[in-house]
Amino acid sequence: MINQINFRNYFLALSLALSLTSCFDDIDDDQTATVVTPLSPTDPDNPNPFNGVMTPIEVMPYNQISNERYCIDLQAWDIPNNRTEPVKTTDNIQAAIDWAISQGYGEVCLPAGHYLIGKYGNDIYQAGIVLDSNMALLLDQNAIIEMAPNNKWNYCAIAVRGKSHVVISGGTILGDRDNHEYTPRTSDGAVAHDEGHLICIEDESEYVTVENVTLGKANGDGILLVGSPSDADQQLLKNIDIRRNNFSDNRRQGISLVGSAEVLIENNEIHHTNGVAPQFGIDLEGAGRLNENITIRNNYFHNNRGGDIVNTDGKNVLLEDNILLQGEDSQYIDGPIVYWKNADWIIRNNSITMRTVSVNNWNGIIMYSNDSPKTNPATTYIYDNTLNNCGMYMYKGADLEITNNFMDNGHLAFKEMTNLTLTNNIVEHPSQCWAYRFLEVSGSASGNTYNQEPFDIPLEENTPWDGCWIN
């Protein structure tokens, strides 16, 4: 085995050479953030509450990761853990990880400390830590990796690009949103700077798990998935598990899925997303890339400014057993659950509560549309959900089954819909005309009630029907 110290000296010499050529860095190596604000609190009413930072998982989900563990020796690798010297910290953590993997270690642990990272990538990208295949990065529960203040449009604090069997677990990863510098982009003068992410999982990555991590203050997303390009026959970014993480105060999204398959998002608390559009807890938006076979289960959403979940194009998506709670100190722009008519999914057994009105009124589930035809023939199923102080509104679409839902002070409203099935829904509301609204709707209905009394809805399969309608 090659001596560890020789490897360390080699990588330190390489890091020094790189730092001498990085005169275009956008932050002095000794600079630290001038503003530090706490993360917004988690909700103690979460049935599976978070009680502070978390330890990394002990059992690896992939046999391809060796159980040989290397805990990084901060002194040997000359790694600051006092929130200083981001370029040096980045280079030396990277060198330690790369050495450990080269020596056959599968689990690499980072001790307690506050690690300020970030260095010049290119004119629009600030680079962070890059992980390899068949490895786990395990952060001590008191370890913090923080992206140093910068003026770049893009960054990835931790990147997984075209790798497989990777775990990120434990501790805290923070972005730089408190101290980011919004320099105008050269090409168009824009200053959104909404692509600064904490964890980027990209290209043909597969079998990646992110678990027990606090992810906060990204200038963009807590986690970003970007998969196979739009002209690909299949989605090769797949088998991703995002489990039991605390997403707090991220500026654009908690999680963005821009092309992905076989994804599980489970037992997370996603909250206080705000700052730059769309501001959702989870955004499925492939931008031409395929999003399919995605499960979003047992998550707790609250105080997300844009909304909790938006599905623009996801196919075969399961949304079940989630709690979506709009806090009294927040106001939705779009609403808790939003989707477009060519998405298809099952929405079942979720609890949805609105305490203040959104821009789109009291709609807990809303389907957006336009004048173009629906091209996805799949049916969306919405059943066994409870909606408190809100209802559902769908328009200019088709192929929808809504069954066994309870709307307390809610409604069911449909406009220009075909192939709609309404069965055994319970609506309670002081105004009958507000509770059930129809304009040019065809399909079938049975067993629905209004204020605990049977309510007849005379829908027919091929004949549009107008019921009570309030503009």
Side-chain angles (χ1 to χ4, degrees):
M1 179 181 292
I2 298 175
N3 184 273
Q4 174 181 343
I5 300 300
N6 290 338
F7 255 88
R8 177 179 66 85
N9 290 339
Y10 168 77
F11 280 115
L12 289 179
L14 179 60
S15 298
L16 177 60
L18 290 173
S19 68
L20 290 174
T21 62
S22 62
C23 57
F24 296 102
D25 246 328
D26 294 282
I27 177 173
D28 293 334
D29 204 37
D30 293 325
Q31 181 181 340
T32 58
T34 57
V35 176
V36 180
T37 61
L39 294 175
S40 295
T42 57
D43 191 339
D45 291 332
N46 183 345
N48 190 18
F50 285 79
N51 297 306
V53 290
M54 293 165 280
T55 58
I57 60 175
E58 290 293 331
V59 179
M60 296 302 108
Y62 313 120
N63 293 332
Q64 290 80 359
I65 298 177
S66 166
N67 60 9
E68 294 294 319
R69 176 174 292 194
Y70 174 67
C71 287
I72 295 174
D73 184 332
L74 301 182
Q75 184 175 3
W77 291 97
D78 192 20
I79 298 172
N81 69 341
N82 60 349
R83 201 166 177 262
T84 61
E85 302 184 81
V87 174
K88 176 181 178 180
T89 304
T90 306
D91 287 338
N92 293 358
I93 290 177
Q94 188 70 64
I97 292 172
D98 293 346
W99 176 86
I101 299 307
S102 75
Q103 298 303 299
Y105 293 101
E107 302 176 16
V108 181
C109 57
L110 187 66
H114 198 144
Y115 303 89
L116 195 66
I117 66 164
K119 66 176 189 175
Y120 180 84
N122 58 45
D123 287 347
I124 63 169
Y125 179 72
Q126 193 79 345
I129 305 297
V130 181
L131 302 185
D132 207 341
S133 293
N134 304 327
M135 71 162 290
L137 178 63
L138 306 177
L139 278 64
D140 181 276
Q141 70 179 65
N142 294 313
I144 301 171
I145 293 176
E146 178 184 356
M147 177 59 71
N150 63 85
N151 65 359
K152 298 298 181 65
W153 194 283
N154 300 357
Y155 62 73
C156 295
I158 296 179
V160 180
R161 298 189 176 106
K163 304 301 180 182
S164 61
H165 306 106
V166 180
V167 172
I168 303 167
S169 183
T172 301
I173 305 173
L174 299 176
D176 76 324
R177 71 170 294 178
D178 283 341
N179 300 282
H180 190 82
E181 182 182 349
Y182 294 90
T183 3
R185 186 165 55 182
T186 305
S187 59
D188 56 7
V191 292
H193 286 225
D194 60 350
E195 294 286 353
H197 313 300
L198 303 182
I199 298 176
C200 301
I201 305 171
E202 302 175 345
D203 305 328
E204 297 181 10
S205 295
E206 60 178 345
Y207 299 105
V208 179
T209 292
V210 181
E211 186 169 356
N212 286 11
V213 185
T214 296
L215 296 149
K217 293 187 180 293
N219 226 41
D221 307 335
I223 296 179
L224 170 70
L225 309 183
V226 180
S228 304
S230 56
D231 58 353
D233 293 334
Q234 58 181 323
Q235 183 49 254
L236 297 178
L237 190 154
K238 57 187 179 180
N239 297 302
I240 311 297
D241 289 355
I242 301 172
R243 183 185 295 114
R244 189 58 182 161
N245 304 289
N246 172 17
F247 293 84
S248 180
D249 299 285
N250 296 299
R251 185 166 163 266
R252 189 179 73 169
Q253 248 89 249
I255 305 169
S256 288
L257 290 79
V258 189
S260 58
E262 314 301 336
V263 177
L264 173 64
I265 302 173
E266 182 178 52
N267 292 326
N268 304 280
E269 185 166 333
I270 306 177
H271 59 105
H272 291 94
T273 309
N274 66 86
V276 64
Q279 305 173 93
F280 271 81
I282 299 176
D283 182 359
L284 289 83
E285 190 168 354
R289 300 173 179 88
L290 181 63
N291 276 319
E292 66 174 352
N293 304 334
I294 295 160
T295 298
I296 302 171
R297 174 189 297 140
N298 286 325
N299 301 284
Y300 192 88
F301 299 84
H302 61 100
N303 297 83
N304 297 303
R305 180 77 174 97
D308 293 324
I309 302 166
V310 57
N311 180 8
T312 69
D313 52 17
K315 306 294 191 294
N316 192 30
V317 177
L318 174 61
L319 179 66
E320 67 174 358
D321 299 322
N322 300 280
I323 297 174
L324 302 92
L325 173 65
Q326 184 188 30
E328 292 179 350
D329 60 341
S330 66
Q331 183 178 14
Y332 288 126
I333 294 174
D334 282 304
I337 299 175
V338 178
Y339 74 103
W340 287 82
K341 65 182 174 185
N342 279 314
D344 69 80
W345 52 347
I346 295 172
I347 303 173
R348 70 185 181 197
N349 201 37
N350 301 283
S351 173
I352 306 164
T353 301
M354 292 181 68
R355 295 178 178 173
T356 55
V357 69
S358 78
V359 172
N360 291 312
N361 221 316
W362 299 96
N363 292 304
I365 304 176
I366 185 169
M367 187 197 79
Y368 284 154
S369 192
N370 51 36
D371 291 329
S372 62
K374 180 175 182 285
T375 57
N376 178 8
T379 297
T380 282
Y381 300 88
I382 302 175
Y383 61 91
D384 294 339
N385 301 282
T386 299
L387 288 82
N388 301 296
N389 212 36
C390 59
M392 307 182 198
Y393 175 41
M394 288 82 177
Y395 63 96
K396 293 186 177 180
D399 310 318
L400 179 62
E401 291 193 14
I402 299 178
T403 305
N404 293 329
N405 300 282
F406 173 54
M407 278 138 286
D408 184 4
N409 195 32
H411 57 271
L412 289 170
F414 307 94
K415 178 181 179 182
E416 299 177 46
M417 291 287 296
T418 61
N419 194 25
L420 169 67
T421 301
L422 295 177
T423 309
N424 298 331
N425 296 288
I426 300 169
V427 179
E428 296 186 1
H429 194 278
S431 169
Q432 177 176 307
C433 196
W434 180 266
Y436 283 100
R437 288 172 281 155
F438 300 86
L439 186 63
E440 299 182 35
V441 179
S442 61
S444 63
S446 63
N448 301 287
T449 66
Y450 167 67
N451 289 351
Q452 303 179 26
E453 297 291 334
F455 189 80
D456 183 46
I457 305 171
L459 294 183
E460 297 181 10
E461 288 296 336
N462 300 309
T463 304
W465 178 72
D466 293 349
C468 190
W469 185 257
I470 302 175
N471 290 317

Short mmCIF file of all heavy atoms in Angstrom, two decimals, residues 25-34 83-87 89-90 114-119 126-128 145-152 154-157 174-181 198 217 219:
data_model
loop_
_atom_site.label_atom_id
_atom_site.label_comp_id
_atom_site.label_asym_id
_atom_site.label_seq_id
_atom_site.Cartn_x
_atom_site.Cartn_y
_atom_site.Cartn_z
N ASP A 25 -10.83 33.89 -8.65
CA ASP A 25 -11.80 33.50 -7.63
C ASP A 25 -12.62 34.70 -7.20
O ASP A 25 -12.12 35.81 -7.12
CB ASP A 25 -11.08 32.93 -6.41
CG ASP A 25 -11.40 31.46 -6.22
OD1 ASP A 25 -12.51 31.05 -6.56
OD2 ASP A 25 -10.51 30.76 -5.72
N ASP A 26 -13.89 34.45 -6.90
CA ASP A 26 -14.79 35.54 -6.56
C ASP A 26 -14.89 35.79 -5.07
O ASP A 26 -15.75 36.54 -4.61
CB ASP A 26 -16.19 35.23 -7.12
CG ASP A 26 -16.16 35.24 -8.63
OD1 ASP A 26 -16.16 36.32 -9.21
OD2 ASP A 26 -16.11 34.14 -9.21
N ILE A 27 -14.04 35.17 -4.30
CA ILE A 27 -14.03 35.42 -2.87
C ILE A 27 -12.61 35.24 -2.37
O ILE A 27 -11.90 34.33 -2.80
CB ILE A 27 -14.98 34.44 -2.12
CG1 ILE A 27 -14.88 34.68 -0.62
CG2 ILE A 27 -14.70 33.01 -2.45
CD1 ILE A 27 -15.89 33.87 0.16
N ASP A 28 -12.14 36.13 -1.55
CA ASP A 28 -10.84 35.96 -0.92
C ASP A 28 -10.88 34.70 -0.08
O ASP A 28 -11.86 34.41 0.61
CB ASP A 28 -10.51 37.16 -0.06
CG ASP A 28 -10.28 38.41 -0.89
OD1 ASP A 28 -9.91 38.28 -2.07
OD2 ASP A 28 -10.51 39.50 -0.34
N ASP A 29 -9.76 33.97 -0.07
CA ASP A 29 -9.74 32.69 0.61
C ASP A 29 -9.99 32.83 2.11
O ASP A 29 -10.45 31.89 2.75
CB ASP A 29 -8.39 32.02 0.36
CG ASP A 29 -8.47 30.53 0.51
OD1 ASP A 29 -9.52 29.97 0.13
OD2 ASP A 29 -7.52 29.93 1.02
N ASP A 30 -9.70 33.98 2.69
CA ASP A 30 -9.89 34.16 4.12
C ASP A 30 -11.24 34.78 4.47
O ASP A 30 -11.57 34.94 5.63
CB ASP A 30 -8.78 35.05 4.70
CG ASP A 30 -7.43 34.37 4.62
OD1 ASP A 30 -7.40 33.15 4.76
OD2 ASP A 30 -6.42 35.06 4.40
N GLN A 31 -12.01 35.15 3.45
CA GLN A 31 -13.27 35.86 3.71
C GLN A 31 -14.31 34.89 4.25
O GLN A 31 -14.43 33.76 3.80
CB GLN A 31 -13.78 36.49 2.41
CG GLN A 31 -15.07 37.26 2.58
CD GLN A 31 -15.53 37.83 1.25
OE1 GLN A 31 -14.75 37.95 0.33
NE2 GLN A 31 -16.80 38.16 1.17
N THR A 32 -15.07 35.34 5.23
CA THR A 32 -16.20 34.56 5.72
C THR A 32 -17.46 35.39 5.58
O THR A 32 -17.41 36.59 5.36
CB THR A 32 -16.00 34.17 7.20
OG1 THR A 32 -15.83 35.36 7.98
CG2 THR A 32 -14.79 33.27 7.37
N ALA A 33 -18.61 34.71 5.69
CA ALA A 33 -19.87 35.41 5.54
C ALA A 33 -20.03 36.47 6.63
O ALA A 33 -19.63 36.28 7.76
CB ALA A 33 -21.02 34.41 5.60
N THR A 34 -20.62 37.59 6.26
CA THR A 34 -20.81 38.67 7.22
C THR A 34 -22.16 38.60 7.91
O THR A 34 -22.37 39.25 8.92
CB THR A 34 -20.68 40.03 6.51
OG1 THR A 34 -21.63 40.08 5.45
CG2 THR A 34 -19.28 40.19 5.95
N ARG A 83 -14.58 27.53 9.65
CA ARG A 83 -15.30 28.44 8.75
C ARG A 83 -14.38 29.50 8.15
O ARG A 83 -14.69 30.69 8.07
CB ARG A 83 -16.47 29.09 9.47
CG ARG A 83 -17.56 29.64 8.56
CD ARG A 83 -18.81 29.93 9.36
NE ARG A 83 -19.85 30.52 8.52
CZ ARG A 83 -20.08 31.82 8.44
NH1 ARG A 83 -19.36 32.66 9.13
NH2 ARG A 83 -21.05 32.27 7.66
N THR A 84 -13.20 29.05 7.70
CA THR A 84 -12.23 29.93 7.05
C THR A 84 -11.65 29.23 5.83
O THR A 84 -11.85 28.03 5.63
CB THR A 84 -11.08 30.29 8.00
OG1 THR A 84 -10.38 29.09 8.38
CG2 THR A 84 -11.59 31.01 9.25
N GLU A 85 -10.93 29.98 5.01
CA GLU A 85 -10.13 29.47 3.89
C GLU A 85 -10.89 28.49 3.00
O GLU A 85 -10.56 27.31 2.92
CB GLU A 85 -8.86 28.83 4.42
CG GLU A 85 -8.00 29.75 5.26
CD GLU A 85 -6.70 29.10 5.68
OE1 GLU A 85 -5.77 29.09 4.85
OE2 GLU A 85 -6.64 28.60 6.81
N PRO A 86 -11.90 28.96 2.27
CA PRO A 86 -12.74 28.03 1.49
C PRO A 86 -12.01 27.29 0.38
O PRO A 86 -12.29 26.11 0.15
CB PRO A 86 -13.84 28.93 0.93
CG PRO A 86 -13.30 30.31 1.01
CD PRO A 86 -12.41 30.34 2.20
N VAL A 87 -11.09 27.94 -0.32
CA VAL A 87 -10.38 27.25 -1.40
C VAL A 87 -9.53 26.12 -0.83
O VAL A 87 -9.56 24.98 -1.32
CB VAL A 87 -9.54 28.24 -2.22
CG1 VAL A 87 -8.68 27.49 -3.24
CG2 VAL A 87 -10.43 29.25 -2.92
N THR A 89 -9.90 24.63 2.04
CA THR A 89 -10.78 23.61 2.62
C THR A 89 -11.35 22.71 1.54
O THR A 89 -11.39 21.48 1.67
CB THR A 89 -11.91 24.29 3.41
OG1 THR A 89 -11.35 25.15 4.41
CG2 THR A 89 -12.79 23.26 4.08
N THR A 90 -11.80 23.31 0.43
CA THR A 90 -12.36 22.53 -0.68
C THR A 90 -11.33 21.58 -1.25
O THR A 90 -11.58 20.37 -1.41
CB THR A 90 -12.87 23.47 -1.79
OG1 THR A 90 -13.77 24.41 -1.24
CG2 THR A 90 -13.54 22.69 -2.91
N HIS A 114 -16.98 23.29 11.17
CA HIS A 114 -17.68 24.15 10.22
C HIS A 114 -16.74 24.39 9.05
O HIS A 114 -15.75 25.10 9.17
CB HIS A 114 -18.08 25.46 10.89
CG HIS A 114 -19.14 26.20 10.16
ND1 HIS A 114 -20.12 26.92 10.81
CD2 HIS A 114 -19.41 26.33 8.83
CE1 HIS A 114 -20.93 27.47 9.91
NE2 HIS A 114 -20.51 27.12 8.71
N TYR A 115 -17.09 23.78 7.90
CA TYR A 115 -16.21 23.76 6.74
C TYR A 115 -16.75 24.71 5.68
O TYR A 115 -17.81 24.48 5.10
CB TYR A 115 -16.13 22.35 6.16
CG TYR A 115 -15.66 21.32 7.16
CD1 TYR A 115 -16.57 20.64 7.98
CD2 TYR A 115 -14.30 21.04 7.33
CE1 TYR A 115 -16.15 19.71 8.91
CE2 TYR A 115 -13.88 20.10 8.26
CZ TYR A 115 -14.80 19.45 9.04
OH TYR A 115 -14.37 18.53 9.97
N LEU A 116 -16.03 25.79 5.44
CA LEU A 116 -16.41 26.75 4.41
C LEU A 116 -15.75 26.32 3.11
O LEU A 116 -14.52 26.19 3.04
CB LEU A 116 -15.95 28.15 4.81
CG LEU A 116 -16.56 29.33 4.05
CD1 LEU A 116 -18.05 29.45 4.32
CD2 LEU A 116 -15.84 30.63 4.42
N ILE A 117 -16.56 26.07 2.08
CA ILE A 117 -16.03 25.55 0.82
C ILE A 117 -16.40 26.47 -0.33
O ILE A 117 -17.20 27.40 -0.19
CB ILE A 117 -16.53 24.13 0.53
CG1 ILE A 117 -18.05 24.14 0.27
CG2 ILE A 117 -16.18 23.17 1.66
CD1 ILE A 117 -18.57 22.87 -0.39
N GLY A 118 -15.83 26.18 -1.51
CA GLY A 118 -16.14 26.92 -2.73
C GLY A 118 -14.88 27.49 -3.35
O GLY A 118 -14.04 28.08 -2.68
N LYS A 119 -14.75 27.28 -4.67
CA LYS A 119 -13.61 27.82 -5.40
C LYS A 119 -14.03 28.05 -6.85
O LYS A 119 -15.10 27.59 -7.29
CB LYS A 119 -12.43 26.87 -5.32
CG LYS A 119 -12.62 25.54 -6.03
CD LYS A 119 -11.36 24.70 -5.97
CE LYS A 119 -11.47 23.47 -6.87
NZ LYS A 119 -10.21 22.70 -6.90
N GLN A 126 -19.40 28.22 -9.35
CA GLN A 126 -18.53 28.08 -8.18
C GLN A 126 -18.51 26.61 -7.80
O GLN A 126 -19.55 25.99 -7.57
CB GLN A 126 -19.07 28.94 -7.03
CG GLN A 126 -18.09 29.11 -5.89
CD GLN A 126 -17.03 30.16 -6.16
OE1 GLN A 126 -16.85 30.58 -7.30
NE2 GLN A 126 -16.33 30.58 -5.13
N ALA A 127 -17.33 26.02 -7.75
CA ALA A 127 -17.18 24.58 -7.55
C ALA A 127 -17.14 24.21 -6.08
O ALA A 127 -16.70 24.99 -5.23
CB ALA A 127 -15.92 24.09 -8.25
N GLY A 128 -17.60 23.00 -5.79
CA GLY A 128 -17.56 22.47 -4.43
C GLY A 128 -16.90 21.10 -4.41
O GLY A 128 -15.89 20.88 -5.08
N ILE A 145 -21.07 21.76 6.26
CA ILE A 145 -20.41 22.17 5.02
C ILE A 145 -21.20 23.37 4.49
O ILE A 145 -22.40 23.27 4.24
CB ILE A 145 -20.40 21.03 3.98
CG1 ILE A 145 -19.51 19.89 4.46
CG2 ILE A 145 -19.94 21.55 2.62
CD1 ILE A 145 -19.51 18.68 3.54
N GLU A 146 -20.52 24.49 4.33
CA GLU A 146 -21.19 25.73 3.91
C GLU A 146 -20.51 26.31 2.67
O GLU A 146 -19.28 26.45 2.63
CB GLU A 146 -21.15 26.76 5.04
CG GLU A 146 -21.78 28.10 4.66
CD GLU A 146 -21.66 29.15 5.75
OE1 GLU A 146 -21.14 28.83 6.84
OE2 GLU A 146 -22.07 30.30 5.51
N MET A 147 -21.31 26.63 1.66
CA MET A 147 -20.78 27.29 0.48
C MET A 147 -20.42 28.73 0.82
O MET A 147 -21.25 29.47 1.36
CB MET A 147 -21.81 27.25 -0.66
CG MET A 147 -21.38 27.98 -1.93
SD MET A 147 -19.85 27.38 -2.68
CE MET A 147 -20.37 25.79 -3.34
N ALA A 148 -19.18 29.13 0.55
CA ALA A 148 -18.72 30.48 0.85
C ALA A 148 -19.45 31.50 -0.02
O ALA A 148 -19.88 31.19 -1.14
CB ALA A 148 -17.21 30.58 0.62
N PRO A 149 -19.61 32.73 0.44
CA PRO A 149 -20.25 33.77 -0.36
C PRO A 149 -19.56 33.92 -1.71
O PRO A 149 -18.33 33.91 -1.80
CB PRO A 149 -20.08 35.03 0.49
CG PRO A 149 -19.91 34.55 1.87
CD PRO A 149 -19.20 33.23 1.77
N ASN A 150 -20.36 34.05 -2.75
CA ASN A 150 -19.81 34.20 -4.10
C ASN A 150 -20.80 34.97 -4.96
O ASN A 150 -21.91 35.28 -4.52
CB ASN A 150 -19.50 32.82 -4.71
CG ASN A 150 -20.73 31.96 -4.89
OD1 ASN A 150 -21.44 32.06 -5.88
ND2 ASN A 150 -21.01 31.11 -3.90
N ASN A 151 -20.42 35.27 -6.18
CA ASN A 151 -21.30 36.03 -7.08
C ASN A 151 -21.66 35.24 -8.33
O ASN A 151 -21.98 35.81 -9.37
CB ASN A 151 -20.65 37.36 -7.46
CG ASN A 151 -19.39 37.19 -8.29
OD1 ASN A 151 -18.98 36.06 -8.57
ND2 ASN A 151 -18.77 38.28 -8.66
N LYS A 152 -21.64 33.90 -8.22
CA LYS A 152 -21.88 33.05 -9.38
C LYS A 152 -23.36 32.68 -9.51
O LYS A 152 -24.07 32.51 -8.52
CB LYS A 152 -21.04 31.78 -9.27
CG LYS A 152 -19.54 32.03 -9.24
CD LYS A 152 -19.05 32.69 -10.52
CE LYS A 152 -17.55 32.90 -10.49
NZ LYS A 152 -16.80 31.65 -10.46
N ASN A 154 -24.35 29.81 -10.68
CA ASN A 154 -24.46 28.37 -10.41
C ASN A 154 -23.46 27.94 -9.34
O ASN A 154 -22.34 28.45 -9.30
CB ASN A 154 -24.14 27.54 -11.66
CG ASN A 154 -25.07 27.84 -12.82
OD1 ASN A 154 -25.99 28.62 -12.70
ND2 ASN A 154 -24.81 27.21 -13.95
N TYR A 155 -23.86 26.97 -8.54
CA TYR A 155 -22.90 26.20 -7.75
C TYR A 155 -23.53 24.89 -7.30
O TYR A 155 -24.75 24.76 -7.24
CB TYR A 155 -22.36 26.99 -6.55
CG TYR A 155 -23.34 27.43 -5.48
CD1 TYR A 155 -23.92 26.55 -4.57
CD2 TYR A 155 -23.65 28.79 -5.33
CE1 TYR A 155 -24.79 26.97 -3.58
CE2 TYR A 155 -24.51 29.23 -4.34
CZ TYR A 155 -25.07 28.32 -3.47
OH TYR A 155 -25.94 28.75 -2.49
N CYS A 156 -22.67 23.93 -7.02
CA CYS A 156 -23.06 22.67 -6.38
C CYS A 156 -22.12 22.48 -5.20
O CYS A 156 -20.92 22.26 -5.40
CB CYS A 156 -22.92 21.49 -7.33
SG CYS A 156 -24.04 21.53 -8.75
N ALA A 157 -22.64 22.58 -3.99
CA ALA A 157 -21.79 22.34 -2.82
C ALA A 157 -21.24 20.92 -2.86
O ALA A 157 -20.06 20.69 -2.61
CB ALA A 157 -22.57 22.60 -1.54
N LEU A 174 -25.11 23.89 3.91
CA LEU A 174 -25.71 25.22 3.79
C LEU A 174 -25.24 25.91 2.51
O LEU A 174 -24.10 25.72 2.07
CB LEU A 174 -25.32 26.10 4.98
CG LEU A 174 -25.76 25.63 6.37
CD1 LEU A 174 -25.20 26.57 7.43
CD2 LEU A 174 -27.29 25.58 6.47
N GLY A 175 -26.13 26.75 1.97
CA GLY A 175 -25.76 27.61 0.86
C GLY A 175 -25.36 28.99 1.34
O GLY A 175 -25.22 29.25 2.53
N ASP A 176 -25.22 29.89 0.39
CA ASP A 176 -24.70 31.23 0.70
C ASP A 176 -25.75 32.32 0.58
O ASP A 176 -25.40 33.50 0.46
CB ASP A 176 -23.51 31.55 -0.21
CG ASP A 176 -23.94 31.92 -1.64
OD1 ASP A 176 -24.92 31.32 -2.13
OD2 ASP A 176 -23.31 32.79 -2.24
N ARG A 177 -27.05 31.99 0.62
CA ARG A 177 -28.06 32.97 0.28
C ARG A 177 -28.04 34.19 1.19
O ARG A 177 -28.44 35.29 0.76
CB ARG A 177 -29.46 32.35 0.24
CG ARG A 177 -30.05 31.96 1.58
CD ARG A 177 -31.52 31.58 1.44
NE ARG A 177 -32.34 32.72 1.05
CZ ARG A 177 -33.65 32.67 0.83
NH1 ARG A 177 -34.29 31.51 0.95
NH2 ARG A 177 -34.33 33.74 0.49
N ASP A 178 -27.57 34.07 2.42
CA ASP A 178 -27.52 35.23 3.31
C ASP A 178 -26.52 36.27 2.85
O ASP A 178 -26.63 37.45 3.19
CB ASP A 178 -27.14 34.79 4.74
CG ASP A 178 -28.32 34.16 5.48
OD1 ASP A 178 -29.47 34.38 5.07
OD2 ASP A 178 -28.07 33.46 6.48
N ASN A 179 -25.51 35.85 2.08
CA ASN A 179 -24.42 36.75 1.72
C ASN A 179 -24.07 36.72 0.24
O ASN A 179 -23.00 37.19 -0.16
CB ASN A 179 -23.17 36.37 2.53
CG ASN A 179 -23.42 36.47 4.02
OD1 ASN A 179 -23.41 37.55 4.59
ND2 ASN A 179 -23.66 35.33 4.67
N HIS A 180 -24.96 36.19 -0.58
CA HIS A 180 -24.67 36.08 -2.01
C HIS A 180 -24.65 37.46 -2.67
O HIS A 180 -25.42 38.35 -2.31
CB HIS A 180 -25.72 35.20 -2.68
CG HIS A 180 -25.39 34.83 -4.09
ND1 HIS A 180 -24.55 33.79 -4.40
CD2 HIS A 180 -25.76 35.38 -5.28
CE1 HIS A 180 -24.43 33.69 -5.72
NE2 HIS A 180 -25.17 34.65 -6.27
N GLU A 181 -23.77 37.60 -3.65
CA GLU A 181 -23.66 38.85 -4.40
C GLU A 181 -24.31 38.66 -5.78
O GLU A 181 -23.87 37.81 -6.56
CB GLU A 181 -22.20 39.26 -4.56
CG GLU A 181 -22.02 40.58 -5.29
CD GLU A 181 -20.56 40.95 -5.47
OE1 GLU A 181 -19.69 40.29 -4.86
OE2 GLU A 181 -20.29 41.88 -6.25
N LEU A 198 -27.33 22.77 -3.19
CA LEU A 198 -26.56 22.10 -2.16
C LEU A 198 -26.07 20.73 -2.61
O LEU A 198 -24.91 20.39 -2.43
CB LEU A 198 -27.39 21.99 -0.88
CG LEU A 198 -27.91 23.32 -0.33
CD1 LEU A 198 -28.67 23.11 0.96
CD2 LEU A 198 -26.77 24.31 -0.14
N LYS A 217 -30.68 27.08 3.08
CA LYS A 217 -30.17 28.35 2.56
C LYS A 217 -29.46 28.23 1.22
O LYS A 217 -28.52 29.00 0.91
CB LYS A 217 -29.27 29.02 3.59
CG LYS A 217 -30.03 29.48 4.84
CD LYS A 217 -29.18 30.31 5.76
CE LYS A 217 -29.96 30.74 6.99
NZ LYS A 217 -31.04 31.67 6.67
N ASN A 219 -29.03 29.03 -2.60
CA ASN A 219 -29.51 30.12 -3.44
C ASN A 219 -30.46 29.60 -4.51
O ASN A 219 -31.23 30.36 -5.09
CB ASN A 219 -28.33 30.84 -4.09
CG ASN A 219 -28.48 32.34 -4.00
OD1 ASN A 219 -28.89 32.85 -2.97
ND2 ASN A 219 -28.16 33.04 -5.06
#
